Amino acid sequence: MSRISFPDGFIWAAATSSQQIEGAVTEDGRGMSIWDRFAMVSGKIEDGSNPAVACDHYHRWREDIEYMKWLGLDAYRFSIAWPRIIPGGTGQINAPGLDFYDALVDGLLEAGIEPFPTLYHWDLPQVLQDKGGWASRDIVDAFVEYSAAVTRRLGDRVQSWVTHNEPWCIATLGHEEGHHAPGLHEPATALRVAHHLLLSHGRATEAIRGEIPKAEVGIVHNYCPGYPATDSAGDIDAARWFDGFFNRWYLDPLFKGAYPADAIADRVAAGHLESADLPFVQDGDMAAISIPLDFLGLNYYSRNIMEAGPDGEPRDAKNIPKEELTDMGWEVYPEGLYDSLMKVHSEYAPKKIYIAENGAAYDYPVDANGRIADIKRVTYFRDHLLAARRAMADGVPLKGYFAWSLMDNFEWGFGFTKRFGLFGVDFETQQRIPKDSAFWYREVTASNAVDDTSTSTPQGESRAFDR
Ligand code: FCB
């Protein structure tokens, strides 16, 4: 057993998002979001639940900061709900909405925790969806207006800003596969949406820097490496296809100012684009999108294995034995995090990288001693951190790690059926219970090191939850 240290100043953190934890969806002037609406449609949320109360964080944030402090977090990534700030989407600012985040930021700073807000983590004001949402180019100006309003208010205290969380999910899950709000099945629309997300990121970055000269601005991409099932040419090409669709469609515009030609050709072949001239791209867009980033956030959960189907079409490989799956059905594959970091570093060379989310859904009961012994989550975190540390040793400028998630929460289309938290939440009582993984992470943040074999967590006296 040995302790693997991280460099001084490495940021230990955790993440959440507004729609998943806040609740209070009709309070203090908040407008309706597309996820409030989506959850009203029968069959969209697995357990029939909705995010109206969630973790009630809107009322319990002071207590939640105490838990973050207990964990020893250096930073906390949360998101800001656009419908609280500008309930009408554009125009009138709702003062209580800004006041809420203002107080949260002060509370975090008092606790010695750096606030790390994301401006858009999927809760679009429904009124903007009614006008076309991300498919309409007008949304770019609306997002810039909203971003400026937030950063004007919080920018004296908040330095690090994320524009968007996971544009791929918004575009593909929301507009092509229909699993997420707004629930469309329109591949051509998804490409337009992706472009408006990227463009709004670029324009908002400029606006944020205008408000806060010392701002650090980045975007968060959910990186998923694709591996070929075999070394056949067809499978290798299927992996290339996946990488173009999932990763390069976003990272190439951001870092290279152009959509990847091979992935454009794939979309033309699929009939999602009429030709390689992207109709939604206007003069100046690609320059705006590729404005230099201060950091890139990567969310990593798993990998994909690809193969060529019977007609040569790229598809998820069947019949590949997987050692360990989380409750999401996602393969546990820490080596994929190492590969992803190395690949992003060599291909795009961002100045700084954060792992902006990483974690696993496992449902463990509270045992007779009141303990949630989530050993598999501890193993997951440990092995991913060790993979990340190896990438750092090999030159990747990784500056921090945000565990997903601080607490169990509303997991989108899965409702409350998937538990990702370091803290368990009893959704009847709203009690937060530190899982073994929280005790383990607390040791990591305190020692700035990960034990490379043990997954043991403090026992006995030291288990007392002494906030
Ligand atoms: C990511 C999302 C986050 C959460 C995790 C499990 O895609 O950013 O909100 O749902 O997955």
Side-chain angles (χ1 to χ4, degrees):
M1 160 179 126
S2 60
R3 281 157 51 89
I4 308 294
S5 294
F6 282 68
D8 285 348
F10 189 79
I11 293 174
W12 296 107
T16 63
S17 85
S18 45
Q19 186 85 66
Q20 293 178 277
I21 65 165
E22 284 179 3
V25 295
T26 56
E27 275 177 60
D28 294 337
R30 180 184 179 280
M32 179 184 271
S33 78
I34 56 174
W35 273 92
D36 299 334
R37 171 66 62 80
F38 192 64
M40 290 173 184
V41 183
S42 159
K44 296 294 185 195
I45 310 295
E46 190 174 300
D47 56 1
S49 67
N50 63 55
V53 178
C55 306
D56 195 32
H57 171 77
Y58 189 75
H59 299 114
R60 295 170 191 265
W61 60 271
R62 287 187 185 80
E63 177 189 338
D64 289 336
I65 289 177
E66 293 297 317
Y67 302 136
M68 297 176 210
K69 219 166 132 180
W70 177 85
L71 275 174
L73 301 188
D74 299 312
Y76 170 53
R77 175 171 175 239
F78 59 100
S79 77
I80 294 177
W82 187 343
R84 281 198 201 286
I85 309 297
I86 309 184
T90 56
Q92 186 73 39
I93 291 173
N94 176 46
L98 276 178
D99 293 346
F100 171 70
Y101 296 105
D102 194 274
L104 178 67
V105 160
D106 282 346
L108 288 165
L109 291 172
E110 251 164 60
I113 299 168
E114 186 194 346
F116 214 102
T118 298
L119 287 159
Y120 187 71
H121 198 131
W122 310 353
D123 38 6
L124 187 71
Q126 178 62 38
V127 285
L128 289 180
Q129 189 60 45
D130 297 340
K131 295 179 185 157
W134 290 105
S136 154
R137 197 173 164 102
D138 293 343
I139 200 157
V140 174
D141 288 340
F143 183 69
V144 172
E145 176 189 334
Y146 155 68
S147 301
V150 173
T151 50
R152 194 168 303 141
R153 175 71 176 267
L154 303 181
D156 57 337
R157 286 152 289 157
V158 179
Q159 191 188 11
S160 299
W161 293 89
V162 171
T163 53
H164 289 298
N165 180 68
E166 303 189 343
W168 179 88
C169 286
I170 301 164
T172 305
L173 299 181
H175 298 80
E176 182 165 349
E177 296 181 358
H179 302 304
H180 280 189
L184 304 183
H185 296 268
E186 300 172 9
T189 303
L191 295 173
R192 179 176 298 278
V193 163
H195 185 68
H196 295 153
L197 286 162
L198 290 168
L199 182 58
S200 69
H201 153 79
R203 293 263 162 80
T205 299
E206 235 185 310
I208 296 166
R209 289 182 179 145
E211 297 292 340
I212 317 167
K214 284 200 304 200
E216 299 239 321
V217 191
I219 188 168
V220 167
H221 171 69
N222 45 320
Y223 197 92
C224 184
Y227 298 83
T230 71
D231 56 12
S232 75
D235 290 357
I236 289 172
D237 192 58
R240 175 208 58 78
W241 176 93
F242 177 79
D243 187 45
F245 163 69
F246 204 103
N247 300 311
R248 290 183 287 116
W249 195 267
Y250 298 90
L251 296 180
D252 278 20
L254 289 165
F255 288 93
K256 301 179 176 175
Y259 287 97
D262 64 314
I264 295 176
D266 292 337
R267 287 306 187 118
V268 174
H272 302 161
L273 284 172
E274 272 177 28
S275 75
D277 306 324
L278 305 177
F280 38 78
V281 178
Q282 298 185 6
D283 280 355
D285 284 6
M286 299 316 291
I289 291 171
S290 54
I291 184 171
L293 296 172
D294 296 299
F295 63 85
L296 176 67
L298 295 177
N299 294 350
Y300 177 84
Y301 288 93
S302 188
R303 68 163 166 177
N304 238 41
I305 305 177
M306 297 295 297
E307 68 184 6
D311 300 319
E313 76 285 4
R315 66 175 193 190
D316 286 3
K318 320 241 183 263
N319 307 320
I320 302 267
K322 306 213 170 99
E323 266 183 38
E324 170 76 32
L325 301 180
T326 68
D327 287 357
M328 298 296 279
W330 297 344
E331 183 190 9
V332 177
Y333 192 66
E335 199 57 25
L337 176 57
Y338 174 84
D339 292 349
S340 301
L341 289 167
M342 296 305 290
K343 176 87 188 180
V344 167
H345 175 54
S346 67
E347 191 67 27
Y348 303 107
K351 282 183 228 156
K352 281 187 198 179
I353 299 179
Y354 293 107
I355 295 174
E357 289 178 26
N358 175 240
Y362 290 115
D363 194 1
Y364 283 85
V366 183
D367 71 16
N369 303 315
R371 176 174 171 192
I372 302 176
D374 59 339
I375 181 74
K376 288 185 178 174
R377 183 174 291 99
V378 173
T379 308
Y380 183 99
F381 282 138
R382 180 198 66 186
D383 292 349
H384 285 79
L385 278 167
L386 293 172
R389 183 68 187 84
R390 275 196 290 119
M392 292 167 74
D394 290 343
V396 173
L398 181 69
K399 302 298 178 192
Y401 176 87
F402 293 73
W404 183 272
S405 177
L406 176 66
M407 58 188 152
D408 293 342
N409 57 46
F410 177 75
E411 180 48 38
W412 310 112
F414 297 96
F416 296 99
T417 65
K418 302 289 184 259
R419 292 179 174 266
F420 276 93
L422 288 160
F423 280 78
V425 175
D426 176 335
F427 291 103
E428 298 291 312
T429 62
Q430 290 297 344
Q431 194 195 350
R432 279 78 159 129
I433 306 159
K435 300 179 187 177
D436 275 14
S437 55
F439 285 93
W440 177 86
Y441 196 47
R442 184 174 188 241
E443 293 257 302
V444 170
T445 65
S447 60
N448 203 29
V450 174
D451 195 319
D452 70 352
T453 49
S454 163
T455 50
S456 69
T457 56
Q459 304 294 316
E461 277 303 292
S462 58
R463 280 197 62 86
F465 180 47
D466 49 1
R467 66 176 186 88

mmCIF file of all heavy atoms in Angstrom, residues 152-173:
data_model
loop_
_atom_site.group_PDB
_atom_site.id
_atom_site.type_symbol
_atom_site.label_atom_id
_atom_site.label_comp_id
_atom_site.label_asym_id
_atom_site.label_seq_id
_atom_site.Cartn_x
_atom_site.Cartn_y
_atom_site.Cartn_z
ATOM 1 N N ARG A 152 -22.214 40.278 -13.543
ATOM 2 C CA ARG A 152 -22.162 41.650 -13.025
ATOM 3 C C ARG A 152 -22.388 41.643 -11.517
ATOM 4 O O ARG A 152 -21.749 42.354 -10.769
ATOM 5 C CB ARG A 152 -23.265 42.474 -13.710
ATOM 6 C CG ARG A 152 -23.132 43.971 -13.539
ATOM 7 C CD ARG A 152 -24.090 44.677 -14.499
ATOM 8 N NE ARG A 152 -23.853 44.283 -15.886
ATOM 9 C CZ ARG A 152 -24.817 44.068 -16.802
ATOM 10 N NH1 ARG A 152 -26.099 44.202 -16.486
ATOM 11 N NH2 ARG A 152 -24.505 43.731 -18.024
ATOM 12 N N ARG A 153 -23.305 40.790 -11.081
ATOM 13 C CA ARG A 153 -23.631 40.749 -9.656
ATOM 14 C C ARG A 153 -22.607 39.953 -8.832
ATOM 15 O O ARG A 153 -22.245 40.341 -7.731
ATOM 16 C CB ARG A 153 -25.027 40.134 -9.501
ATOM 17 C CG ARG A 153 -25.460 39.909 -8.068
ATOM 18 C CD ARG A 153 -25.759 41.237 -7.339
ATOM 19 N NE ARG A 153 -26.253 40.969 -6.015
ATOM 20 C CZ ARG A 153 -27.542 40.864 -5.696
ATOM 21 N NH1 ARG A 153 -28.478 41.045 -6.616
ATOM 22 N NH2 ARG A 153 -27.893 40.592 -4.460
ATOM 23 N N LEU A 154 -22.134 38.840 -9.360
ATOM 24 C CA LEU A 154 -21.292 37.952 -8.542
ATOM 25 C C LEU A 154 -19.794 38.078 -8.850
ATOM 26 O O LEU A 154 -18.961 37.520 -8.142
ATOM 27 C CB LEU A 154 -21.720 36.491 -8.750
ATOM 28 C CG LEU A 154 -23.187 36.165 -8.448
ATOM 29 C CD1 LEU A 154 -23.451 34.673 -8.682
ATOM 30 C CD2 LEU A 154 -23.557 36.533 -7.007
ATOM 31 N N GLY A 155 -19.497 38.810 -9.906
ATOM 32 C CA GLY A 155 -18.118 38.840 -10.409
ATOM 33 C C GLY A 155 -17.107 39.456 -9.471
ATOM 34 O O GLY A 155 -15.908 39.219 -9.613
ATOM 35 N N ASP A 156 -17.568 40.230 -8.491
ATOM 36 C CA ASP A 156 -16.599 40.793 -7.541
ATOM 37 C C ASP A 156 -16.062 39.713 -6.606
ATOM 38 O O ASP A 156 -15.036 39.902 -5.968
ATOM 39 C CB ASP A 156 -17.235 41.946 -6.745
ATOM 40 C CG ASP A 156 -18.497 41.506 -6.000
ATOM 41 O OD1 ASP A 156 -19.125 40.506 -6.414
ATOM 42 O OD2 ASP A 156 -18.854 42.163 -5.004
ATOM 43 N N ARG A 157 -16.772 38.570 -6.535
ATOM 44 C CA ARG A 157 -16.340 37.509 -5.619
ATOM 45 C C ARG A 157 -16.058 36.177 -6.298
ATOM 46 O O ARG A 157 -15.466 35.291 -5.709
ATOM 47 C CB ARG A 157 -17.420 37.286 -4.535
ATOM 48 C CG ARG A 157 -17.461 38.396 -3.502
ATOM 49 C CD ARG A 157 -18.849 38.533 -2.918
ATOM 50 N NE ARG A 157 -19.761 39.087 -3.915
ATOM 51 C CZ ARG A 157 -21.087 38.934 -3.887
ATOM 52 N NH1 ARG A 157 -21.659 38.251 -2.925
ATOM 53 N NH2 ARG A 157 -21.838 39.474 -4.828
ATOM 54 N N VAL A 158 -16.551 36.027 -7.517
ATOM 55 C CA VAL A 158 -16.399 34.729 -8.188
ATOM 56 C C VAL A 158 -15.483 34.885 -9.394
ATOM 57 O O VAL A 158 -15.736 35.712 -10.271
ATOM 58 C CB VAL A 158 -17.774 34.189 -8.659
ATOM 59 C CG1 VAL A 158 -17.595 32.856 -9.377
ATOM 60 C CG2 VAL A 158 -18.717 34.035 -7.469
ATOM 61 N N GLN A 159 -14.455 34.063 -9.416
ATOM 62 C CA GLN A 159 -13.483 34.181 -10.499
ATOM 63 C C GLN A 159 -13.703 33.147 -11.614
ATOM 64 O O GLN A 159 -13.583 33.445 -12.784
ATOM 65 C CB GLN A 159 -12.073 34.006 -9.921
ATOM 66 C CG GLN A 159 -11.001 34.375 -10.923
ATOM 67 C CD GLN A 159 -9.613 34.038 -10.435
ATOM 68 O OE1 GLN A 159 -9.417 33.349 -9.434
ATOM 69 N NE2 GLN A 159 -8.621 34.514 -11.158
ATOM 70 N N SER A 160 -14.035 31.916 -11.219
ATOM 71 C CA SER A 160 -14.125 30.833 -12.211
ATOM 72 C C SER A 160 -15.558 30.642 -12.684
ATOM 73 O O SER A 160 -16.470 30.505 -11.863
ATOM 74 C CB SER A 160 -13.634 29.524 -11.590
ATOM 75 O OG SER A 160 -12.296 29.657 -11.195
ATOM 76 N N TRP A 161 -15.742 30.613 -13.982
ATOM 77 C CA TRP A 161 -17.081 30.502 -14.565
ATOM 78 C C TRP A 161 -17.116 29.427 -15.632
ATOM 79 O O TRP A 161 -16.249 29.411 -16.502
ATOM 80 C CB TRP A 161 -17.496 31.835 -15.203
ATOM 81 C CG TRP A 161 -17.689 32.895 -14.167
ATOM 82 C CD1 TRP A 161 -16.745 33.740 -13.681
ATOM 83 C CD2 TRP A 161 -18.909 33.185 -13.461
ATOM 84 N NE1 TRP A 161 -17.304 34.543 -12.709
ATOM 85 C CE2 TRP A 161 -18.622 34.223 -12.560
ATOM 86 C CE3 TRP A 161 -20.203 32.663 -13.510
ATOM 87 C CZ2 TRP A 161 -19.589 34.757 -11.698
ATOM 88 C CZ3 TRP A 161 -21.166 33.186 -12.665
ATOM 89 C CH2 TRP A 161 -20.845 34.229 -11.772
ATOM 90 N N VAL A 162 -18.131 28.598 -15.556
ATOM 91 C CA VAL A 162 -18.389 27.639 -16.630
ATOM 92 C C VAL A 162 -19.605 28.159 -17.386
ATOM 93 O O VAL A 162 -20.610 28.526 -16.764
ATOM 94 C CB VAL A 162 -18.700 26.235 -16.054
ATOM 95 C CG1 VAL A 162 -19.178 25.295 -17.163
ATOM 96 C CG2 VAL A 162 -17.477 25.656 -15.357
ATOM 97 N N THR A 163 -19.507 28.208 -18.689
ATOM 98 C CA THR A 163 -20.675 28.629 -19.471
ATOM 99 C C THR A 163 -21.690 27.481 -19.523
ATOM 100 O O THR A 163 -22.728 27.537 -18.886
ATOM 101 C CB THR A 163 -20.250 29.051 -20.890
ATOM 102 O OG1 THR A 163 -19.490 27.980 -21.464
ATOM 103 C CG2 THR A 163 -19.437 30.342 -20.846
ATOM 104 N N HIS A 164 -21.337 26.430 -20.274
ATOM 105 C CA HIS A 164 -22.305 25.337 -20.464
ATOM 106 C C HIS A 164 -21.814 24.027 -19.883
ATOM 107 O O HIS A 164 -20.623 23.717 -19.943
ATOM 108 C CB HIS A 164 -22.567 25.103 -21.954
ATOM 109 C CG HIS A 164 -23.359 26.205 -22.585
ATOM 110 N ND1 HIS A 164 -24.633 26.517 -22.186
ATOM 111 C CD2 HIS A 164 -23.051 27.075 -23.574
ATOM 112 C CE1 HIS A 164 -25.090 27.518 -22.911
ATOM 113 N NE2 HIS A 164 -24.156 27.895 -23.761
ATOM 114 N N ASN A 165 -22.752 23.263 -19.385
ATOM 115 C CA ASN A 165 -22.476 21.887 -19.007
ATOM 116 C C ASN A 165 -22.934 20.939 -20.108
ATOM 117 O O ASN A 165 -24.120 20.889 -20.439
ATOM 118 C CB ASN A 165 -23.238 21.523 -17.720
ATOM 119 C CG ASN A 165 -22.975 20.085 -17.298
ATOM 120 O OD1 ASN A 165 -21.862 19.756 -16.901
ATOM 121 N ND2 ASN A 165 -23.974 19.221 -17.419
ATOM 122 N N GLU A 166 -21.998 20.221 -20.686
ATOM 123 C CA GLU A 166 -22.286 19.105 -21.586
ATOM 124 C C GLU A 166 -23.195 19.448 -22.761
ATOM 125 O O GLU A 166 -24.322 18.935 -22.862
ATOM 126 C CB GLU A 166 -22.885 17.939 -20.796
ATOM 127 C CG GLU A 166 -21.998 17.451 -19.664
ATOM 128 C CD GLU A 166 -22.497 16.162 -19.025
ATOM 129 O OE1 GLU A 166 -23.666 15.809 -19.229
ATOM 130 O OE2 GLU A 166 -21.706 15.508 -18.323
ATOM 131 N N PRO A 167 -22.705 20.257 -23.683
ATOM 132 C CA PRO A 167 -23.522 20.554 -24.880
ATOM 133 C C PRO A 167 -23.993 19.299 -25.620
ATOM 134 O O PRO A 167 -25.093 19.286 -26.167
ATOM 135 C CB PRO A 167 -22.572 21.385 -25.753
ATOM 136 C CG PRO A 167 -21.626 22.016 -24.779
ATOM 137 C CD PRO A 167 -21.460 21.039 -23.649
ATOM 138 N N TRP A 168 -23.192 18.247 -25.627
ATOM 139 C CA TRP A 168 -23.624 17.021 -26.329
ATOM 140 C C TRP A 168 -24.957 16.520 -25.775
ATOM 141 O O TRP A 168 -25.851 16.113 -26.520
ATOM 142 C CB TRP A 168 -22.558 15.913 -26.213
ATOM 143 C CG TRP A 168 -22.988 14.634 -26.903
ATOM 144 C CD1 TRP A 168 -22.784 14.309 -28.214
ATOM 145 C CD2 TRP A 168 -23.746 13.553 -26.327
ATOM 146 N NE1 TRP A 168 -23.360 13.075 -28.481
ATOM 147 C CE2 TRP A 168 -23.959 12.596 -27.349
ATOM 148 C CE3 TRP A 168 -24.264 13.299 -25.052
ATOM 149 C CZ2 TRP A 168 -24.659 11.405 -27.142
ATOM 150 C CZ3 TRP A 168 -24.961 12.111 -24.855
ATOM 151 C CH2 TRP A 168 -25.154 11.179 -25.884
ATOM 152 N N CYS A 169 -25.075 16.502 -24.442
ATOM 153 C CA CYS A 169 -26.315 15.995 -23.837
ATOM 154 C C CYS A 169 -27.503 16.881 -24.221
ATOM 155 O O CYS A 169 -28.591 16.382 -24.507
ATOM 156 C CB CYS A 169 -26.203 15.956 -22.312
ATOM 157 S SG CYS A 169 -25.160 14.611 -21.724
ATOM 158 N N ILE A 170 -27.262 18.183 -24.191
ATOM 159 C CA ILE A 170 -28.364 19.098 -24.505
ATOM 160 C C ILE A 170 -28.827 18.853 -25.945
ATOM 161 O O ILE A 170 -30.021 18.701 -26.224
ATOM 162 C CB ILE A 170 -27.912 20.565 -24.320
ATOM 163 C CG1 ILE A 170 -27.437 20.796 -22.881
ATOM 164 C CG2 ILE A 170 -29.043 21.526 -24.704
ATOM 165 C CD1 ILE A 170 -26.618 22.064 -22.690
ATOM 166 N N ALA A 171 -27.846 18.802 -26.850
ATOM 167 C CA ALA A 171 -28.189 18.647 -28.263
ATOM 168 C C ALA A 171 -28.761 17.249 -28.535
ATOM 169 O O ALA A 171 -29.875 17.117 -29.064
ATOM 170 C CB ALA A 171 -26.951 18.897 -29.127
ATOM 171 N N THR A 172 -28.002 16.234 -28.162
ATOM 172 C CA THR A 172 -28.373 14.873 -28.588
ATOM 173 C C THR A 172 -29.480 14.277 -27.723
ATOM 174 O O THR A 172 -30.483 13.780 -28.251
ATOM 175 C CB THR A 172 -27.140 13.944 -28.559
ATOM 176 O OG1 THR A 172 -26.114 14.542 -29.357
ATOM 177 C CG2 THR A 172 -27.480 12.581 -29.127
ATOM 178 N N LEU A 173 -29.300 14.310 -26.409
ATOM 179 C CA LEU A 173 -30.335 13.692 -25.568
ATOM 180 C C LEU A 173 -31.620 14.513 -25.594
ATOM 181 O O LEU A 173 -32.714 13.963 -25.513
ATOM 182 C CB LEU A 173 -29.844 13.539 -24.123
ATOM 183 C CG LEU A 173 -28.606 12.652 -23.929
ATOM 184 C CD1 LEU A 173 -28.234 12.558 -22.456
ATOM 185 C CD2 LEU A 173 -28.843 11.253 -24.507
#
